[in-house]
Each structure stands twice: as structure tokens, then as C-alpha cells.
Amino acid sequence: SHWIEARGLDKVYRPRKSAPTHALSDVSFAARRGEFISIVGPSGCGKTTLLKILAGLIPYTGGETRIAGKRVSGPDKGVGMVFQAATLLPWRTILENVMVPVEIQKLDRKTHEARARELLELVGLRGFENKYPGELSGGMQQRAGICRALIHDPAVLLLDEPFGALDAMTREFMNLELLRIWQESRKTAILVTHSIPEAVFLSDRVIVMTPRPGRIAEIITIDLPRP
Ligand code: ADP
Ligand code: ADP
């Protein structure tokens, strides 16, 4: 069976003051455990909506989605999500930010703090544990955001255009960094990106979504030599 599964997903947004939007229509796909999938497609085709549904952050109108065999029906502990802009809390240190999911889920502080330090070291942030987000570059903040998404050892990692706000060089560096993190954790990962080269570089498979109404047009399998 599959580690991530979406079957016949429908999503209609019904804003109070404007017409409904059919953001997703009969979207189906599945990911094997340990697979890295990228989703590409033009703005407004439903990529963010799909990730938010998988993370259990918004309800869906029809269909079904499962993560690690469990039906998604609310914010899911089995998911780690990295957002477009670094969403670190400015009044908390980098280490305290990485520990946020541990506090929310009331996990053991001591073991997870050791893990947080390991993760920060893995992404090159050793020595920055006690700094505040404002003292770090955008790329460093995104790296801390990835640590926060991984701290509770989620079954899947969802990344919504995580490097979109970074300059081209930092972005390339972050791609290498993410590949290294993925190779270490082997999480099942879904990355939403506007960059085809980024998708090709990082994924086992690339999913292309069509503009409207958010259907999956084609699934391209890219065989990458994994070391
Ligand atoms: P993408 O991430 O591919 O840019 P989105 O998932 O953000 O696409 O949006 C898909 C469609 O749903 C768009 O037409 C967008 O305007 C609409 N949409 C997204 N979020 C909302 C919302 N909260 N309320 C109403 N419409 C929304
Ligand atoms: P972006 O992906 O551009 O960073 P979002 O994911 O929040 O931003 O929204 C994607 C699209 O959904 C945008 O085109 C935005 O206009 C639309 N959208 C977001 N929230 C709403 C809303 N409450 N009502 C209508 N459209 C929305």
C-alpha cells in the first residue's frame, strides 16, 4: 500500500463575499514510502490547496486522503510542513523555534532537544542555536524551518515552495542542502515548486498540475541515480 494517498479529491472554496472556486477536481495520486515527489504547475492551479489538505490544515469537499494508512481528518502529527516564507517566531531563539512542535505535541523535551541540536548541525546551523531569527539570513531561517518540520519525526515532509523567496545562488545551495537532509532522513516528501530544474534535481517523480480546475495532467517519472 501507499504512504501518501489522495483519491478523487475535490475542493471548493466558498468565500462569504465572492463566488465559489473549484480549486481541485477529482485529483488522485499516491506516493510510495521514501519517495520524493515534486508538484509543478502555474499559479492558481491548486498546488498549495493540495498540500494544505494533505497536512490536514483545511477541509476538503470530496474524495479521500490517507497518510501512512490513516485517514487525514485534521492537523496531522504525521506531517511536517515547510512554508513559502520562514514562519519562525521572532521572539524565540532558533532552538526554541525548532522545538515548537515538541511543545504542541507534548513530546519528551530532553530527547527532542538533543535531536534538535543534531538537526541544526546537519543543516550547518551549529552555533546559531541561541540566536534569534532576525539575526539569520533568509536561507538560514528556511533551514531552521526544515529542522522544525522534521523534529517530531513525521511520516511525511511537505514543502510548499520553500526556497521561492531566496536568490538564485542561495536557492541552488539550499537544493543541495535539502537533498542531503532527504538522504539522511529518507522521508516521503512532496515539494511544490515553480522551478523545473529544482523538481528534476530533487525528485523521483514530477507531477504536473493543469491550471484549472486543478487536475493532474501528467505524471512524469524521472529516474535519478541515488547514491
Ligand atoms: P497554487 O498553489 O497552485 O497557486 P492555490 O491552491 O493557492 O494554487 O489556489 C487554487 C485556487 O483556489 C485559486 O483559484 C485560488 O484563487 C483559490 N483559493 C485558494 N485559497 C483560497 C481561499 N482561501 N479562498 C478562496 N479561494 C481560494
Ligand atoms: P500564494 O500561493 O500566492 O503565496 P496563497 O497560497 O495564500 O498565496 O493563495 C493563493 C491564491 O489564492 C492567490 O491567488 C490568492 O489570491 C488566493 N486566495 C488566498 N486566500 C484567498 C481568499 N481568502 N479568498 C480568495 N482568494 C484567496
Side-chain angles (χ1 to χ4, degrees):
S1 70
H2 288 100
W3 206 240
I4 302 176
E5 231 179 329
R7 240 189 273 144
L9 271 190
D10 268 298
K11 172 66 186 180
V12 182
Y13 287 105
R14 299 185 189 280
R16 242 163 263 152
K17 290 182 182 168
S18 50
T21 305
H22 209 144
L24 297 179
S25 173
D26 195 21
V27 167
S28 300
F29 79 98
R32 291 185 304 275
R33 190 173 186 170
E35 197 173 19
F36 195 125
I37 293 182
S38 289
I39 299 179
V40 297
S43 248
C45 73
K47 304 180 299 296
T48 296
T49 298
L50 179 57
L51 278 203
K52 283 181 181 167
I53 288 173
L54 290 174
L57 297 178
I58 57 172
Y60 43 102
T61 317
E64 194 181 49
T65 170
R66 286 174 176 276
I67 290 200
K70 213 173 109 260
R71 196 170 195 279
V72 176
S73 60
D76 201 297
K77 285 179 186 162
V79 169
M81 187 147 171
V82 181
F83 299 90
Q84 291 174 2
T87 50
L88 304 177
L89 303 171
W91 58 87
R92 288 180 147 225
T93 65
I94 295 301
L95 181 71
E96 287 164 355
N97 265 286
V98 173
M99 291 291 284
V100 165
V102 174
E103 286 167 31
I104 292 174
Q105 296 177 26
K106 298 188 166 60
L107 304 172
D108 179 66
R109 191 170 170 94
K110 213 168 160 189
T111 53
H112 285 86
E113 188 174 314
R115 179 63 185 151
R117 289 180 189 281
E118 275 173 33
L119 282 168
L120 285 167
E121 176 155 15
L122 179 75
V123 302
L125 288 180
R126 190 178 173 178
F128 292 88
E129 296 87 348
N130 299 321
K131 299 255 189 247
Y132 289 86
E135 300 176 88
L136 272 61
S137 73
M140 292 163 101
Q141 290 183 41
Q142 277 303 57
R143 277 185 267 160
I146 294 171
C147 295
R148 183 184 56 188
L150 289 170
I151 185 67
H152 58 297
D153 196 25
V156 312
L157 181 62
L158 304 178
L159 305 122
D160 187 4
E161 190 71 29
F163 311 135
L166 305 174
D167 63 86
M169 247 176 73
T170 309
R171 190 173 180 136
E172 256 177 61
F173 172 73
M174 292 298 292
N175 280 341
L176 289 168
E177 199 68 24
L178 178 58
L179 188 63
R180 227 159 48 84
I181 294 165
W182 181 82
Q183 281 169 340
E184 134 104 356
S185 69
R186 294 282 165 171
K187 293 286 173 213
T188 312
I190 301 188
L191 169 76
V192 163
T193 179
H194 281 109
S195 163
I196 305 266
E198 182 170 287
V200 169
F201 178 72
L202 286 164
S203 357
D204 301 303
R205 274 200 294 153
V206 179
I207 288 178
V208 181
M209 284 178 80
T210 47
R212 255 162 246 264
R215 291 192 74 114
I216 288 176
E218 211 178 332
I219 294 181
I220 303 169
T221 301
I222 293 168
D223 292 316
L224 272 175
R226 298 279 193 201

